[in-house]
Amino acid sequence: MNIVLGVSGSIAAYKSPDLVRRLREAGHEVRVVMSRGGMSFVTPLTLQAVSGYPVVYDLLDPAHEAGMGHIELARWADLILIAPASANLISRLAAGSAEDLLSAIVLATEKPVMLAPGMNRLMWANPFVQRNIAALSDANIDILTPGSGAQACGEVGLGRMPEPLEIRDHVTAFFQELENHAGKIDEDRGPLFGKKVVITAGPTVEEIDPVRYISNYSSGKMGYALANVAKNLGAEVQLVSGPVALPSPADVNLIAVKSADEMMQAVKQACNGADLFIAAAAVADYRVADRATEKIKKRDGSDELLLKLTKNPDILATIAKGPARPTLCVGFAAETNDIEENAKSKLQRKNVDMICLNDVSGGKVFGAADNEMLLFKRDGSITPIAKADKRIVAEKIFDAILELFSQSDRDIVNNS
């Protein structure tokens, strides 16, 4: 395959020549595009020697046809891989900037884009950087999770660019997935064309009074990633979402709700005639039995306020056990202890076809850009999904769902 490798201004650029060599060993053609910052860490001549192609960096180079090298390279590439991707470059890409050749190529391509960030641990953890990462991920740019360890600045933490072999393996898996799907996916329709998919996402908000509420830490990123993947696979998608700070996915019918009761009613209506229901929302188990119509005031002389809670509806069980059950029902389990036992129990109790298990002990997963999971199916099989960006995790979940649909179709044929 043809890979445009972008090298931006990070000390991790010293690994780029080795990355070029590893990609070429895997049989890929590699052309290198550098930012001015990247040239401060490794010379174009070095990368030209290992790639076999001249290294380019000028946005308007008269050596290219009509001086539009960004268009030529964007058309040539099967993948745009930027390694390392500095905080500065990530910021410019998130803003849609095209001030140099590398960022212009990203804007001018319809091909997949993959970023391998590399920066100081504090820069990686900065909320502005994480906001930019989230925006790029929502735009279907593949973000490789940085590694943790000693950094060139002497600090230790998350932010190291993945090693060249790791990046090569990720690229290989990416192309293999494309190849595996090529024979079974109709480019115009997709394997879920004609199927109606209902997905819940985010938290629910259970009001105590007009200014206070009970909720949880769910960001909705996993559910929104699932909605985007389902749409790309050709499905008609209904996304029932609690309050989140995420943009609405394109070509998805978004139904905004607040409470568990509102979500229950919306899901019942949306699941009419649905083929697949995925309950990814973090629904509050309880709500206040008697919501106050006015703000509850502090009481002099009392250090306690007692709230009576009542159980919320079980949305997943209601749909999965109901008379209008979709063909497949998939649930999520966020557990902190006895995680596998709880997931297996939930699989049976709620009459679902698959449980996607999150280990959220120690504050993991919630709000993060990446995730890792165990998938539990009714046949007793357990499929692990390694830690990766939530969009990649969503794609792997749908790989499992497509297998379940295939099995369901075979069962119908065998029983007819």
Side-chain angles (χ1 to χ4, degrees):
M1 307 298 281
N2 296 333
I3 299 174
V4 166
L5 174 64
V7 179
S8 65
S10 164
I11 184 60
Y14 81 89
K15 300 178 183 178
S16 298
D18 186 38
L19 175 58
V20 172
R21 186 168 65 87
R22 300 297 184 181
L23 292 172
R24 294 192 69 191
E25 285 176 352
H28 305 302
E29 291 290 314
V30 182
R31 295 189 178 185
V32 179
V33 178
M34 302 187 74
S35 72
R36 293 290 178 181
M39 293 165 62
S40 299
F41 294 98
V42 63
T43 67
L45 184 60
T46 300
L47 289 164
Q48 177 175 321
V50 293
S51 69
Y53 289 102
V55 173
V56 291
Y57 41 82
D58 283 332
L59 177 57
L60 300 176
D61 186 348
H64 288 277
E65 180 183 352
M68 296 184 180
H70 58 298
I71 302 298
E72 294 176 50
L73 287 167
R75 290 172 177 167
W76 175 82
D78 295 303
L79 172 69
I80 312 297
L81 168 63
I82 303 179
S86 67
N88 179 48
L89 179 68
I90 288 168
S91 174
R92 290 191 284 114
L93 293 180
S97 171
E99 68 181 52
D100 62 3
L101 179 59
L102 183 52
S103 56
I105 289 172
V106 174
L107 286 188
T109 190
E110 295 179 335
K111 307 299 176 56
V113 179
M114 185 181 296
L115 304 184
M119 66 194 73
N120 168 268
R121 66 178 183 87
L122 294 176
M123 294 175 74
W124 174 251
N126 188 282
F128 290 106
V129 173
Q130 288 301 308
R131 181 189 65 188
N132 292 333
I133 287 290
L136 294 174
S137 181
D138 290 340
N140 290 329
I141 289 180
D142 191 355
I143 311 292
L144 277 63
T145 303
S148 181
Q151 299 183 327
C153 59
E155 297 186 3
V156 177
L158 200 65
R160 289 168 54 98
M161 186 183 88
E163 295 302 315
L165 283 174
E166 295 177 63
I167 298 174
R168 182 203 63 185
D169 291 346
H170 193 91
V171 169
T172 298
F174 174 80
F175 282 131
Q176 185 62 55
E177 187 174 352
L178 289 182
E179 184 179 339
N180 290 342
H181 284 201
K184 61 183 179 181
I185 296 180
D186 184 314
E187 291 183 358
D188 295 326
R189 295 187 172 184
L192 293 181
F193 178 78
K195 294 191 183 296
K196 181 179 178 182
V197 176
V198 178
I199 301 171
T200 64
T204 61
V205 168
E206 312 299 332
E207 293 186 348
I208 298 172
D209 61 20
V211 298
R212 302 181 182 91
Y213 60 85
I214 300 170
S215 190
N216 56 64
Y217 291 114
S218 174
S219 67
K221 292 177 181 177
M222 192 71 246
Y224 277 58
L226 288 164
N228 274 312
V229 172
K231 172 201 66 178
N232 291 338
L233 293 174
E236 173 196 339
V237 183
Q238 305 256 10
L239 177 62
V240 183
S241 175
V244 297
L246 297 171
S248 174
D251 301 321
V252 166
N253 182 21
L254 177 65
I255 304 167
V257 299
K258 287 178 63 177
S259 68
D261 273 331
E262 290 177 2
M263 185 172 282
M264 180 77 264
Q265 296 309 311
V267 167
K268 279 183 177 179
Q269 184 172 354
C271 279
N272 184 27
D275 300 282
L276 169 64
F277 174 50
I278 304 178
V283 182
D285 293 325
Y286 294 90
R287 66 182 185 275
V288 176
D290 298 305
R291 176 193 178 277
T293 58
E294 297 180 350
K295 179 182 176 182
I296 300 173
K297 300 292 186 180
K298 287 188 290 187
R299 298 174 183 174
D300 293 337
S302 175
D303 293 330
E304 294 182 343
L305 172 66
L306 299 180
L307 296 174
K308 181 179 180 182
L309 303 180
T310 186
K311 188 176 288 188
N312 270 326
D314 189 326
I315 297 174
L316 178 58
T318 300
I319 298 300
K321 295 180 179 181
R325 184 190 195 274
T327 304
L328 295 179
C329 290
V330 175
F332 275 63
E335 302 291 347
T336 59
N337 60 286
D338 300 325
I339 57 176
E340 293 196 16
E341 292 77 5
N342 288 335
K344 291 175 182 177
S345 173
K346 191 171 186 177
L347 183 73
Q348 300 301 321
R349 287 185 291 105
K350 308 219 174 185
N351 190 39
V352 297
D353 301 280
M354 186 168 75
I355 286 291
C356 306
L357 171 65
N358 277 324
D359 178 0
V360 296
S361 60
K364 291 183 289 188
V365 178
F366 285 123
D370 50 32
N371 203 351
E372 57 185 322
M373 286 191 166
L374 291 173
L375 306 184
F376 293 77
K377 298 179 184 176
R378 294 175 71 89
D379 62 6
S381 63
I382 303 175
T383 303
I385 298 179
K387 188 175 183 180
D389 180 83
K390 286 180 178 177
R391 185 175 67 86
I392 295 174
V393 172
E395 291 170 352
K396 294 185 181 301
I397 290 172
F398 266 98
D399 285 342
I401 288 172
L402 290 173
E403 291 179 6
L404 289 173
F405 269 123
S406 296
Q407 182 60 50
S408 175
D409 291 342
R410 288 194 294 272
D411 291 343
I412 291 173
V413 171
N414 292 336
N415 293 330
S416 62

